[in-house]
Amino acid sequence: MNRINTIRLFNQLVGVITLVLLICSSRVWAQTNTGWMNNSEHPPVNTRFVLTGQGNPSDHTVEGFLEVKLDDGWKTYWRSPGEGGVAPKIDWQGSSNLTDNEWHWPYPKPFELLGIHTLGYENDVVIPLTLHVEDWHRPVELNATLTLSSCETVCVLTDYPFSLVFTPEQLDINDGFAFQYAQAISQVPRTTAQILESVAHWDQKKRLLEVSLTRSSPWSHPEFIVDSFDEQGKEYSFKPLSTRLENNKATVTFEVSSWKREINVAHIPLTVTVKDQGLLAETDVAATLGGVESPQSSLWIMLVFALAGGLILNVMPCVLPVLGLKLSSVISAHGLKKSQIRRQFLASSAGILFSFWLLAALLWGLKLTGSAVGWGIQFQSPWFIGLMVLVTGVFGANMLGLFHITLPSRVNTWIAARGGESQVGHFTQGMFATLLATPCSAPLLGTAVAFALGASSAELFIIFTALGLGMALPWIIVSTFPQLANLLPKPGRWMNKVKYLFGAMMLMTSLWLMYLLSNHIPLFWLTIIALISAVVMLKSIKRVHGDKAFLVTGAILLFALSSSLVLGSVTADRWAKPLPDDLVWHPLDKAAISRSVNQGKTVFVNVTADWCVTCQANKIGVLLQDPVYSTLKQDGVIPMQGDWTHPNGEVSRYLRENGRFGVPFNIVYGPNAPEGIPLPVILTDDMVVKAIELAGGNQKV
């Protein structure tokens, strides 16, 4: 009996001890986490203050964080909210055994509403804090009030009072809270040795701040924020206007505004926060007085480049396939009334402009989704190439007289009642001529496109409009002075023969595009499709036009097929027979470039794509010709190639890091040029050999 009583007493004692432990552990949990706090009058926001249990007895610090959960569409603010909003703050009055606190702010997101630029967070955000306590062994009593601003289309300022009691030396680490803290602290910018130099200039007259940061490695696609811990500087808003990248140097221009005071940021301590691939950092800088180039003036310079680049695009090798379309328009215009000539050429110009707007819209959409962007990337899509095959085939067949598109009688009547031919054909001609021309890059074109892709959405469309106007300039001139069209030879029977040549050129383009399509679709099926199309076309011609037309068309198709084999060997300045393409092209690898240069070797980088006609002209006309060919085969020279025929993130990043958004791109690295010597779009033997010799140290810099 005594034994039973003893066991019963022991079990009761264990129960009491377990209950006490549960009460104590729950008390400890409750005292390290406020739980979710909300305000019934403002339900979109829930927040809590948490201690992770991590601490450092030597410097009397305890780690915690503020977590804020926001409904969709709502946001709260960073330490410097910008032109509107209020940063979160905690009033610690009434707390004891607490000497100080530090906020660690994760990198924010920019917001734009009705022209007001702000910085902050949305959805779920964790902001780490460090509490400094006076006595590590005594309890810390927190009696505080969090004031939190949250905005959608309206802004609400809400107070959240909370209390917490804990003894630092008795805290235990909560793994879940510690993990949340670690995730958040990894998003907090820190000072870094990667930022080698930071310089700022303030233009009082223009109210522009220019900040230049030099990094130990090239920039990729950086984002910059400027703010200040100075009381006066806190009232300024810094809105980024433009960014210029020059290898390791990035220069950003900010517009400075303030609702409360006269603006003068000269000598005020500023903090520059930057986010880039592999970099999240901040650095201090003081602005000195000096002139700052206005982004508007940069934009005007880029507009001139865009106009010139678009104009030059008319004479690039990739435009040759659409030469027939353009010449046909000019010849057909002979003898027409000035008003008719003007309408036709304006319609073609409108088609060119519309195509550039389509390209701008495509690139703008890709930028919003964070995708890689660049000039001519539509030729990475098999759907686009397939559409171009169809269009060029239809144009070529139509010019050969294989068929004619007849409009319904009602449409013809509608057109006739308005006194002229429909301009839809001329518009379409200009539009597709432009799309076919985009595999080429041209001098000045790459600079303008790079600026546009790194600028604002409005500037992107402005630059592409200038590119379109540049390419359409010859047609705009003819529309302005219609009498120019009458200086050309009069159309006659000879014109029908010339149209056969133009039609053959278009079919050559179709064959080239089908070759590009073979990168996406097996060549066997493309061949079957081409043969079926040819048979159907020839049978139709024989039935409609007779045996003679059948034989003539067959001969033209044969000519187009054989000529397409020659097309790839044509350069801008000569017929070239390339040497055997037995160069050992190493895959593009940034790390391998550095290693090779450190070993005293020279690296020639060729970023190319199968659909880039200028790339192929450079390859056949320069790279596979002596003396460049023999130079690239030397032991100390490493040819390296990046293939952008298909979307490739590594190649896209490499192009962005070098301030390029299209191909071709060639650059030479060596012991005498570790940062590289970029080459122009169109290569020559002399410039390539000299760059290789210079990079290798065989010439004086």
Side-chain angles (χ1 to χ4, degrees):
M1 190 69 176
N2 290 335
R3 185 168 177 271
I4 294 174
N5 289 336
T6 302
I7 294 173
R8 184 179 299 164
L9 182 63
F10 177 78
N11 289 338
Q12 290 175 348
L13 182 62
V14 170
V16 170
I17 294 173
T18 303
L19 180 62
V20 170
L21 289 174
L22 286 173
I23 292 173
C24 291
S25 63
S26 64
R27 184 174 183 274
V28 169
W29 178 86
Q31 292 301 309
T32 57
N33 177 9
T34 64
W36 289 106
M37 302 179 288
N38 53 57
N39 188 313
S40 59
E41 296 181 358
H42 188 48
V45 179
N46 287 277
T47 183
R48 64 177 177 177
F49 180 77
V50 174
L51 295 175
T52 66
Q54 298 167 298
N56 189 336
S58 62
D59 58 9
H60 291 200
T61 55
V62 175
E63 306 298 346
F65 60 81
L66 176 70
E67 184 173 11
V68 182
K69 286 189 175 181
L70 301 143
D71 286 357
D72 290 343
W74 288 85
K75 59 182 179 293
T76 191
Y77 295 98
W78 190 51
R79 68 188 184 202
S80 296
E83 295 178 301
V86 177
K89 66 177 182 179
I90 297 178
D91 182 0
W92 301 99
Q93 296 295 326
S95 301
S96 62
N97 199 21
L98 182 69
T99 59
D100 200 3
N101 68 94
E102 297 174 60
W103 293 66
H104 309 290
W105 299 92
Y107 190 86
K109 179 179 179 180
F111 298 100
E112 194 87 25
L113 180 63
L114 301 176
I116 298 175
H117 180 75
T118 57
L119 297 161
Y121 312 100
E122 58 186 355
N123 301 324
D124 190 348
V125 58
V126 172
I127 305 175
L129 288 95
T130 298
L131 303 183
H132 293 255
V133 300
E134 185 175 4
D135 190 332
W136 187 256
H137 307 288
R138 288 196 304 111
V140 177
E141 295 186 11
L142 300 181
N143 294 297
T145 300
L146 165 67
T147 301
L148 189 72
S149 175
S150 55
C151 293
E152 193 191 32
T153 53
V154 297
C155 291
V156 180
L157 203 62
T158 311
D159 288 340
Y160 299 91
F162 65 91
S163 298
L164 212 60
V165 179
F166 65 93
T167 302
E169 65 179 359
Q170 296 177 2
L171 289 175
D172 292 322
I173 296 177
N174 182 300
D175 291 337
F177 292 156
F179 179 74
Q180 281 186 278
Y181 178 91
Q183 281 186 312
I185 206 72
S186 68
Q187 298 301 312
V188 176
R190 304 285 188 184
T191 56
T192 175
Q194 290 191 49
I195 303 298
L196 304 178
E197 184 182 25
S198 54
V199 179
H201 298 289
W202 166 243
D203 192 317
Q204 182 68 38
K205 184 177 180 180
K206 298 177 182 177
R207 294 189 177 183
L208 295 177
L209 175 71
E210 185 180 81
V211 176
S212 296
L213 297 185
T214 303
R215 183 182 175 183
S216 57
S217 57
W219 295 96
S220 176
H221 196 67
E223 302 173 16
F224 294 88
I225 299 173
V226 170
D227 71 325
S228 177
F229 292 99
D230 181 83
E231 286 302 318
Q232 179 178 344
K234 284 181 180 179
E235 298 177 357
Y236 294 142
S237 173
F238 300 83
K239 183 178 181 180
L241 296 179
S242 67
T243 303
R244 302 193 306 274
L245 302 181
E246 302 172 72
N247 293 326
N248 295 28
K249 184 178 180 181
T251 303
V252 192
T253 303
F254 295 87
E255 180 183 46
V256 185
S257 60
S258 176
W259 291 358
K260 298 182 179 181
R261 62 168 67 241
E262 185 66 25
I263 301 172
N264 186 358
V265 302
H267 309 298
I268 291 179
L270 302 173
T271 300
V272 182
T273 306
V274 58
K275 180 181 181 182
D276 195 21
Q277 182 182 356
L279 179 67
L280 189 61
E282 65 179 27
T283 183
D284 294 331
V285 66
T288 58
L289 289 172
V292 175
E293 182 183 1
S294 171
Q296 284 74 22
S297 63
S298 298
L299 179 60
W300 281 111
I301 293 172
M302 287 303 114
L303 284 174
V304 174
F305 279 19
L307 283 168
L311 181 62
I312 294 172
L313 199 60
N314 283 283
V315 295
M316 294 299 291
C318 52
V319 183
L320 293 177
V322 294
L323 182 62
L325 285 174
K326 295 186 175 185
L327 292 179
S328 179
S329 295
V330 176
I331 294 170
S332 299
H334 192 284
L336 295 178
K337 294 179 180 179
K338 290 183 178 180
S339 60
Q340 291 176 306
I341 296 174
R342 182 173 287 113
R343 284 197 298 269
Q344 288 185 8
F345 279 83
L346 284 177
S348 296
S349 301
I352 292 172
L353 274 173
F354 183 74
S355 287
F356 275 95
W357 289 335
L358 278 180
L359 292 172
L362 169 68
L363 295 173
W364 176 69
L366 290 174
K367 280 185 67 178
L368 291 181
T369 60
S371 302
V373 293
W375 178 252
I377 61 168
Q378 68 272 19
F379 278 85
Q380 294 177 347
S381 166
W383 295 103
F384 177 82
I385 297 174
L387 176 63
M388 291 296 100
V389 169
L390 178 63
V391 169
T392 53
V394 169
F395 269 110
N398 187 51
M399 295 182 74
L400 290 171
L402 306 186
F403 70 90
H404 296 280
I405 300 175
T406 303
L407 297 176
S409 58
R410 290 184 180 180
V411 177
N412 286 326
T413 303
W414 183 86
I415 293 169
R418 281 149 183 80
E421 296 181 357
S422 170
Q423 307 307 319
V424 174
H426 296 281
F427 177 89
T428 306
Q429 188 183 92
M431 184 177 74
F432 284 109
T434 303
L435 293 179
L436 284 172
T438 51
C440 265
S441 185
L444 304 181
L445 176 71
T447 304
V449 171
F451 176 87
L453 295 180
S456 67
S457 300
E459 289 171 333
L460 170 67
F461 280 91
I462 291 172
I463 291 295
F464 270 72
T465 299
L467 286 169
L469 288 173
M471 188 170 180
L473 188 58
W475 314 114
I476 295 174
I477 291 173
V478 175
S479 66
T480 306
F481 305 100
Q483 61 270 24
L484 292 176
N486 294 322
L487 299 178
L488 295 169
K490 295 181 180 180
R493 298 180 63 181
W494 66 271
M495 186 175 171
N496 293 328
K497 298 179 181 179
V498 174
K499 285 181 67 176
Y500 288 143
L501 176 61
F502 294 161
M505 293 176 65
M506 292 307 299
L507 292 180
M508 289 162 57
T509 305
S510 295
L511 291 171
W512 170 65
L513 290 167
M514 290 186 72
Y515 164 73
L516 297 183
L517 200 57
S518 67
N519 291 313
H520 306 274
I521 300 175
L523 186 60
F524 171 79
W525 291 111
L526 283 176
T527 305
I528 295 297
I529 294 171
L531 289 174
I532 293 174
S533 301
V535 170
V536 171
M537 185 183 298
L538 290 172
K539 288 184 67 176
S540 174
I541 292 169
K542 185 175 183 180
R543 185 179 67 252
V544 176
H545 298 288
D547 292 340
K548 185 176 180 180
F550 171 80
L551 293 174
V552 171
T553 306
I556 290 174
L557 288 175
L558 183 61
F559 169 75
L561 178 61
S562 59
S563 298
S564 65
L565 300 176
V566 181
L567 179 65
S569 65
V570 179
T571 65
D573 56 355
R574 69 176 186 266
W575 290 81
K577 183 179 180 181
L579 294 167
D581 188 7
D582 58 355
L583 294 171
V584 180
W585 290 101
H586 299 261
L588 180 63
D589 185 337
K590 289 172 57 180
I593 293 174
S594 299
R595 288 196 301 269
S596 300
V597 171
N598 290 335
Q599 294 169 3
K601 297 181 179 180
T602 303
V603 182
F604 176 85
V605 176
N606 177 37
V607 185
T608 181
D610 288 348
W611 44 261
C612 170
V613 180
T614 309
C615 301
Q616 305 310 314
N618 282 339
K619 177 182 178 182
I620 295 169
V622 178
L623 302 184
L624 296 184
Q625 300 288 335
D626 274 332
V628 176
Y629 176 81
S630 298
T631 303
L632 293 176
K633 290 180 73 70
Q634 292 176 1
D635 291 338
V637 179
I638 299 176
M640 190 172 288
Q641 185 164 279
D643 190 353
W644 213 41
T645 302
H646 304 285
N648 186 312
E650 197 67 31
V651 176
S652 299
R653 282 191 294 273
Y654 180 78
L655 287 171
R656 288 200 304 269
E657 288 169 4
N658 286 278
R660 301 295 180 94
F661 293 87
V663 289
F665 174 58
N666 298 98
I667 187 170
V668 183
Y669 301 90
N672 214 32
E675 301 300 327
I677 303 173
L679 299 177
V681 172
I682 300 177
L683 301 179
T684 65
D685 299 341
D686 189 56
M687 72 173 59
V688 175
V689 173
K690 283 186 177 179
I692 292 174
E693 291 176 349
L694 181 62
N698 297 325
Q699 288 187 2
K700 293 182 179 180
V701 180

